[in-house]
Amino acid sequence: EFRCLCSNLYTPRETRYPEGIKWKFLEHKGPVFAPPYEPLPENVKFYYDGKVMKLSTKAEEVATFFAKMLDHEYTTKEIFRKNFFKDWRKEMTSEEKSTITNLSKCDFTHMSQYFKAQSEARKQMSKEEKQKIKEENERLLKEYGYCVMDNHKERIANFKIEPPGLFRGRGNHPKMGMLKRRIMPEDIIINCSKDSKIPSPPPGHKWKEVRHDNKVTWLVSWTENIQGSIKYIMLNPSSRIKGEKDWQKYETARRLKKCVDKIRNQYREDWKSKEMKVRQRAVALYFIDKLALRAGNEKEEGETADTVGCCSLRVEHIKLHPELDGQEYVVEFDFLGKDSIRYYNKVPVEKRVFKNLQLFMENKQPEDDLFDRLNTSILNKHLQDLMEGLTAKVFRTYNASITLQQQLKELTNPDDNIPAKILSYNRANRAVAILCNHQRAPPKTFEKSMMNLQSKIDAKKEQLADARRELKSAKADAKVRRDEKSKKTVESKKKAVQRIEEQLMKLEVQATDREENKQIALGTSKLNYLDPRISVAWCKKWGIPIEKIYNKTQREKFAWAIDMAEEDYEF
DNA sequence: CTTCTGACTTAGCACTTTAAGC
DNA sequence: GCTTAAAGTGCTAAGTCAGAAG
């Protein structure tokens, strides 16, 4: 039974709604719009072909978007510049359009400098001024940041509408640099219950639509102009509706645990099937299970960056090595996955898988689909038959969570102190992040901060050596004198050595942890793949305060798990 | 079957705040 | 107290997947 945590009181969850109904009552204040454009002061100039040019307000606004990004690599990319210029020209007056014909002749540097000075000034603001801004933000949050869903006041995740700007896709995105237009009340669909106080649009405006659909969880939606997709305002992860769904997700993964052996035997059998379609499905599922690959939906060419998942892998994304570095039947994967993050891995596979892959690749061009008889829809329909609620992504959740549980068992040393146990936890977390290929760009200051830490360690080592010498001489002294005072000195010197040893160890642990974390992002798996009850149970078992593992936001999101899990919880 | 649409989860990066170390 | 690194938060892009439409 799911219970939600509300005002520090545990309340049993309301009786479950009929299929598909998400709420009975929903009331909110609507979205907060982006602040209107403030034209630049007269003294901030834009230059075209070396000459000052005063831009119309609309053209100027779009120009400032580009000026603000001038330091970013994006603005040097040809596609970005081309897309930007095309969209910018649409905002220009006909006069501007006829004058400004070449982006390379545009000089935004003065505008850029102005914005840099502005942000510098913001940093230099007095305490009072900063406090005022903070209070204003809090007021906004208080008024618009919450809604009432059924009997609960709930925090809204993103109550602010995305401001206009230049689209920044990830990776090699064909639409980078396009203008993301300003969202107006007339674009907005409000969703709330009929008997609620319906939010009013800003004066002089009206909503596109007000609807009362309790089969969905969103409060506000609009259609963005880059991909034509719908954006939503929804509730915070701490909300009942999100927490319950999250809990369900892990329960589905736990059901997979019960039948995963059977499913594995099944797909191994299917490697031998007479039907090509079945063989492809079985090999793809093996990759999804073994390597935690994503399903891989088809994507429209030219609309997004060229990235793939399992079902959309192409022949060019794998290389087959009958033998590599002393291992047999090695598959070398090299492709761009979600967010254009590279997946690179050399994996020894079973002979049957290898032979099947050779078969799938026969007579194909590099750009042909590896699994030409398979897509995510076929795969998920098959999975649905194997277990209710089973889809490709459940394997990622399952394998991530079971890996954490196993790794925690393996790595936790009962004799370790708390920092060392936490290091073990982070290592277990890291094993999952590696499995799921959660990468990050190494922090810009990484090298420098690593050197700083190393010099701290060196200094600490010297300090330890000194302390040990002092202890030694104190001991010798005590041996000669045999009085209380020198005995006490020995004791205090001993303690000093111990303290420094602990400090040194802490620093060394920190260095190891940081080095191992250089290119790996732990947050994503922690937030989305690891059953929080595993972590809660581990904390309870070893007496680790939960705050050491989850920060405030995470504790709010996982309140249900913190409440539910005992130290003997098994995923 | 294929394509499209809608709703929802998952993702890394940029920015802000806090904490640690001098 | 000031500086710097780490932690935390906000933002919004980019996936998954189901169901409707064609």
Side-chain angles (χ1 to χ4, degrees):
Chain A
E1 178 70 350
F2 182 86
R3 302 201 298 171
C4 92
L5 196 57
C6 180
S7 322
N8 297 323
L9 289 171
Y10 296 97
T11 53
R13 181 205 172 290
E14 290 86 339
T15 38
R16 190 158 280 117
Y17 295 133
E19 183 69 11
I21 305 297
K22 305 292 169 61
W23 45 263
K24 283 183 234 160
F25 181 79
L26 175 60
E27 182 169 277
H28 59 91
K29 288 295 208 77
V32 172
F33 288 91
Y37 177 64
E38 273 181 49
L40 293 171
E42 285 299 323
N43 63 341
V44 182
K45 309 289 190 199
F46 166 75
Y47 300 86
Y48 186 74
D49 206 8
K51 290 187 274 293
V52 174
M53 186 173 170
K54 172 76 186 158
L55 296 171
S56 66
T57 309
K58 277 174 91 180
E60 184 190 277
E61 180 179 6
V62 179
T64 64
F65 298 154
F66 194 86
K68 282 177 183 169
M69 293 176 78
L70 222 49
D71 284 341
H72 203 288
E73 205 208 333
Y74 272 119
T75 55
T76 63
K77 293 187 177 174
E78 205 177 319
I79 302 172
F80 189 97
R81 296 173 68 86
K82 191 181 128 266
N83 287 334
F84 162 73
F85 197 55
K86 190 176 163 210
D87 280 1
W88 186 27
R89 282 177 58 83
K90 290 180 200 156
E91 303 298 312
M92 292 177 187
T93 64
S94 51
E95 266 168 85
E96 285 165 340
K97 229 186 249 181
S98 60
T99 312
I100 304 171
T101 53
N102 184 349
L103 181 57
S104 304
K105 291 183 178 172
C106 296
D107 180 357
F108 302 95
T109 50
H110 191 201
M111 286 161 78
S112 170
Q113 279 162 17
Y114 169 73
F115 291 123
K116 273 184 205 157
Q118 289 260 299
S119 83
E120 203 45 49
R122 229 172 297 129
K123 277 183 206 152
Q124 300 301 323
M125 277 188 309
S126 70
K127 266 211 177 103
E128 292 74 32
E129 286 172 302
K130 281 183 181 169
Q131 183 60 26
K132 220 175 154 190
I133 291 173
K134 206 177 160 192
E135 277 165 21
E136 171 60 18
N137 284 334
E138 279 164 8
R139 195 189 63 75
L140 215 61
L141 174 67
K142 211 173 152 215
E143 182 166 6
Y144 294 96
Y146 296 86
C147 74
V148 179
M149 185 174 272
D150 296 335
N151 303 315
H152 299 273
K153 182 176 170 183
E154 304 267 33
R155 180 82 189 269
I156 298 169
N158 55 325
F159 59 91
K160 287 178 183 160
I161 298 276
E162 295 170 20
L166 303 184
F167 176 78
R168 313 150 80 124
R170 297 183 206 268
N172 200 193
H173 197 116
K175 298 196 173 183
M176 63 168 78
M178 280 175 64
L179 175 63
K180 225 174 85 162
R181 62 170 237 287
R182 180 177 291 272
I183 304 302
M184 303 301 284
E186 286 70 17
D187 300 312
I188 294 291
I189 302 174
I190 298 284
N191 193 34
C192 61
S193 56
K194 269 184 193 156
D195 56 347
S196 74
K197 192 170 173 297
I198 289 163
S200 34
H205 289 277
K206 45 186 195 247
W207 303 124
K208 180 180 179 184
E209 187 190 330
V210 176
R211 65 171 79 156
H212 312 290
D213 183 356
N214 69 354
K215 294 195 171 55
V216 297
T217 66
W218 54 267
L219 321 183
V220 172
S221 75
W222 72 92
T223 301
E224 54 88 32
N225 66 302
I226 303 291
Q227 314 281 357
S229 67
I230 309 170
K231 300 241 175 175
Y232 303 93
I233 292 183
M234 290 183 187
L235 296 192
N236 199 66
S238 63
S239 62
R240 184 218 99 214
I241 206 152
K242 294 286 185 193
E244 211 177 298
K245 195 80 188 294
D246 207 34
W247 172 61
Q248 248 180 50
K249 176 181 78 185
Y250 293 112
E251 289 306 300
T252 306
R254 289 175 88 198
R255 282 194 286 121
L256 173 58
K257 185 190 177 190
K258 290 186 196 153
C259 60
V260 73
D261 289 336
K262 217 176 113 196
I263 290 172
R264 285 173 178 161
N265 289 333
Q266 163 88 259
Y267 67 60
R268 297 168 63 87
E269 278 303 308
D270 288 346
W271 293 340
K272 298 181 263 181
S273 170
K274 276 180 279 212
E275 263 186 279
M276 185 59 100
K277 190 179 147 180
V278 173
R279 284 197 189 204
Q280 292 195 354
R281 196 180 68 193
V283 171
L285 186 52
Y286 169 73
F287 285 162
I288 284 170
D289 183 22
K290 186 183 171 74
L291 305 173
L293 300 190
R294 296 186 184 82
N297 285 304
E298 298 106 298
K299 304 168 81 187
E300 213 176 328
E301 216 182 315
E303 292 292 303
T304 60
D306 179 18
T307 63
V308 296
C310 185
C311 293
S312 50
L313 279 170
R314 299 190 297 259
V315 170
E316 61 194 323
H317 295 131
I318 65 167
K319 257 193 218 147
L320 301 181
H321 304 278
E323 208 234 292
L324 186 71
D325 306 327
Q327 290 176 308
E328 279 191 314
Y329 308 122
V330 175
V331 183
E332 185 180 356
F333 290 85
D334 193 353
F335 62 90
L336 298 181
K338 182 177 178 179
D339 293 315
S340 294
I341 296 291
R342 186 179 179 202
Y343 184 92
Y344 184 79
N345 203 357
K346 289 181 213 161
V347 195
V349 301
E350 300 191 38
K351 186 176 175 183
R352 276 227 163 77
V353 172
F354 197 84
K355 295 287 169 195
N356 270 316
L357 289 170
Q358 286 178 324
L359 186 66
F360 304 159
M361 289 164 82
E362 250 171 38
N363 302 319
K364 279 188 192 169
Q365 299 299 307
E367 64 278 12
D368 289 341
D369 285 339
L370 177 63
F371 303 115
D372 53 300
R373 309 280 171 89
L374 185 71
N375 60 42
T376 54
S377 171
I378 295 170
L379 178 65
N380 280 332
K381 279 206 181 85
H382 171 66
L383 294 177
Q384 194 62 241
D385 292 339
L386 299 179
M387 185 194 105
E388 196 193 328
L390 186 62
T391 62
K393 86 185 183 79
V394 178
F395 282 87
R396 254 167 97 82
T397 311
Y398 163 72
N399 279 309
S401 287
I402 201 77
T403 300
L404 179 76
Q405 190 169 81
Q406 282 165 353
Q407 288 289 304
L408 284 177
K409 271 193 189 135
E410 226 172 284
L411 298 176
T412 311
N413 177 1
D415 303 330
D416 276 348
N417 59 15
I418 291 185
K421 284 205 179 89
I422 290 168
L423 177 65
S424 300
Y425 180 91
N426 286 338
R427 284 197 167 134
N429 192 163
R430 198 172 297 132
V432 176
I434 290 167
L435 175 73
C436 294
N437 199 228
H438 291 141
Q439 294 189 24
R440 61 166 186 176
K444 289 196 176 75
T445 53
F446 186 84
E447 287 304 324
K448 208 182 114 206
S449 76
M450 214 59 208
M451 269 161 63
N452 284 348
L453 189 58
Q454 192 52 52
S455 52
K456 263 189 214 166
I457 290 172
D458 294 344
K460 196 53 82 179
K461 278 181 179 164
E462 264 178 48
Q463 199 189 339
L464 181 62
D466 287 348
R468 281 188 175 141
R469 265 195 297 277
E470 280 183 39
L471 174 62
K472 209 174 166 186
S473 77
K475 272 181 178 166
D477 197 40
K479 218 173 182 179
V480 178
R481 294 197 194 208
R482 296 169 177 270
D483 62 351
E484 273 309 304
K485 199 183 164 195
S486 52
K487 255 189 188 168
K488 269 192 180 162
T489 313
V490 170
E491 277 313 303
S492 76
K493 296 283 178 197
K494 246 187 203 167
K495 278 201 181 128
V497 168
Q498 254 175 26
R499 199 175 53 239
I500 296 165
E501 274 174 345
E502 264 172 41
Q503 287 169 343
L504 177 62
M505 181 161 102
K506 215 175 146 186
L507 284 174
E508 281 174 335
V509 162
Q510 199 186 352
T512 314
D513 208 26
R514 202 191 291 173
E515 184 64 47
E516 290 175 1
N517 248 358
K518 185 178 177 181
Q519 301 199 66
I520 298 164
L522 300 185
T524 304
S525 50
K526 204 173 188 178
L527 235 48
N528 300 300
Y529 289 104
L530 301 176
D531 182 343
R533 291 167 296 184
I534 299 168
S535 301
V536 171
W538 181 84
C539 283
K540 285 191 175 162
K541 183 167 181 187
W542 300 109
I544 313 286
I546 195 77
E547 296 77 20
K548 299 276 183 189
I549 299 296
Y550 290 139
N551 65 37
K552 188 169 146 282
T553 320
Q554 294 164 339
R555 290 198 300 278
E556 281 168 9
K557 168 166 175 165
F558 297 134
W560 60 270
I562 294 170
D563 174 45
M564 212 184 266
E566 299 302 332
E567 75 165 70
D568 60 350
Y569 175 77
E570 274 276 332
F571 173 75

